Amino acid sequence: MKNRFSPTTLILPISLILFLPVGASAGDSCRNILADGFYKEYAKSNVQRRDRSMYADLCSLDFQQASNAIKRVQQTGADQAPGLTYGLYNLDEVDVDAGGNPKVGSPVPDVSEEKFGQWKSGYCSKSSPADSSQAAEFLMQKTVGGSTSSPAPAVDSWAACKKKQQGLTCWAAPAPASSGGQNEEFLLNVNWTKTGSSQSRTPPEIKYSFLTRGAVSKFEGAPAKRILPADYKLSAGTLQIPVVRPADTGVFASLKVNHGGTEHSCKVFVPGERDFTLSEPFLNRLKFRYPG
């Protein structure tokens, strides 16, 4: 898609930054760390990447949380009408300049609860709030920047927080494509943190793992469609597994382990290019032809 909008260099002062509550991951302070880093860097980020990230994030939030996120972006001065490329606003709702860009400081209508509900039912119907939340985390990592060997501070702090969660925790991280144009790679992090002295000291054992839509684990000995071999025993800490998937394809990864007679499970959604896709801003042609 040809990008019609350019971010400004105005950055929101730290004193104005609000802590963003989350929807599908309510109570997950780790996600707040990543989201906070994303919104702090919003004004400096690649426009298309930040639009996809916010699109997924809004799909995971309720109205009040989404309203806070929209206001936070508007306060940066970089995007007075976030959502033009994914239907939250239309061009006929905002004042634009000769290049079709929203005018800085021009009035923008509030997104009502009714409008947000209608937008969410139409534009978020392919993914559940939980899946959208995980997609937003993956896309935010791409947006904030850094690399797998030297991640951005917000990504590093978010991952460090995830590693402290007790039991089994999984998350995906972007990785450079290394398998040619037909495939791309991401890193699946499988973390085990001891759950207390009362639990068995034996390591947790893989009872079930699965990859969807043609994804392939590069872990040695993993069968087709599986992340890890059955009965593989996890050590404490983080196991990072490269996964190859067909290009542009969204993938689910799920695991279940047994630890001292107790089951622990986790699931990750990694979005493809066809998930949360952007488009040219929409203009209401009837209103354009028949104003008023």
Side-chain angles (χ1 to χ4, degrees):
M1 181 192 76
K2 183 179 179 181
N3 179 20
R4 299 175 59 178
F5 306 104
S6 300
T8 68
T9 56
L10 181 63
I11 302 175
L12 178 66
I14 293 177
S15 62
L16 292 178
I17 292 176
L18 303 174
F19 192 70
L20 179 69
V22 299
S25 300
D28 184 356
S29 60
C30 298
R31 190 182 190 281
N32 288 337
I33 295 171
L34 181 59
D36 194 51
F38 166 72
Y39 285 101
K40 283 181 180 178
E41 296 295 318
Y42 187 91
K44 298 185 292 184
S45 301
N46 174 276
V47 176
Q48 291 190 17
R49 285 188 174 183
R50 77 189 189 196
D51 276 7
R52 284 193 71 210
S53 300
M54 191 172 181
Y55 180 3
D57 196 32
L58 291 178
C59 285
S60 75
L61 304 177
D62 63 26
F63 169 69
Q64 188 57 57
Q65 294 162 348
S67 180
N68 290 340
I70 293 167
K71 290 175 182 176
R72 183 172 185 174
V73 165
Q74 290 172 331
Q75 287 174 329
T76 68
D79 197 349
Q80 292 301 298
L84 278 168
T85 57
Y86 47 91
L88 195 60
Y89 288 99
N90 298 325
L91 281 177
D92 53 339
E93 295 179 299
V94 299
D95 292 329
V96 296
D97 57 26
N101 302 308
K103 294 179 181 177
V104 176
S106 61
V108 177
D110 291 333
V111 177
S112 67
E113 186 167 4
E114 180 183 9
K115 179 178 179 179
F116 179 73
Q118 292 172 344
W119 173 84
K120 193 170 181 179
S121 64
Y123 283 81
C124 305
S125 58
K126 293 200 304 181
S127 300
S128 69
D131 294 341
S132 297
S133 180
Q134 291 184 334
E137 290 177 346
F138 186 81
L139 295 170
M140 283 178 180
Q141 291 177 77
K142 281 189 170 184
T143 304
V144 170
S147 65
T148 53
S149 59
S150 181
V155 176
D156 204 20
S157 298
W158 169 70
C161 181
K162 300 283 283 185
K163 293 175 182 179
K164 294 177 182 178
Q165 294 181 331
Q166 288 195 335
L168 181 68
T169 308
C170 305
W171 68 95
S178 58
S179 302
Q182 298 300 314
N183 296 290
E184 56 189 19
E185 187 173 300
F186 66 88
L187 297 174
L188 180 64
N189 295 274
V190 179
N191 187 80
W192 175 257
T193 302
K194 294 180 180 179
T195 57
S197 58
S198 61
Q199 293 285 344
S200 168
R201 294 186 178 182
T202 59
E205 189 174 275
I206 298 292
K207 288 302 177 188
Y208 172 87
S209 69
F210 193 69
L211 288 167
T212 66
R213 300 173 181 172
V216 177
S217 169
K218 295 178 72 174
F219 189 88
E220 185 176 357
K225 301 182 180 180
R226 300 293 184 262
I227 301 167
L228 291 163
D231 301 328
Y232 178 86
K233 293 178 174 58
L234 289 176
S235 300
T238 305
L239 179 63
Q240 198 168 62
I241 305 167
V243 177
V244 177
R245 59 172 171 168
D248 303 336
T249 303
V251 168
F252 288 93
S254 55
L255 294 100
K256 182 182 292 184
V257 303
N258 183 285
H259 181 240
T262 301
E263 287 189 343
H264 301 258
S265 61
C266 63
K267 185 178 77 168
V268 177
F269 174 58
V270 185
E273 290 298 323
R274 285 172 278 186
D275 298 297
F276 308 102
T277 55
L278 307 177
S279 61
E280 289 292 329
F282 174 74
L283 179 65
N284 188 327
R285 298 295 180 182
L286 289 177
K287 186 172 181 178
F288 180 75
R289 291 180 61 186
Y290 306 104

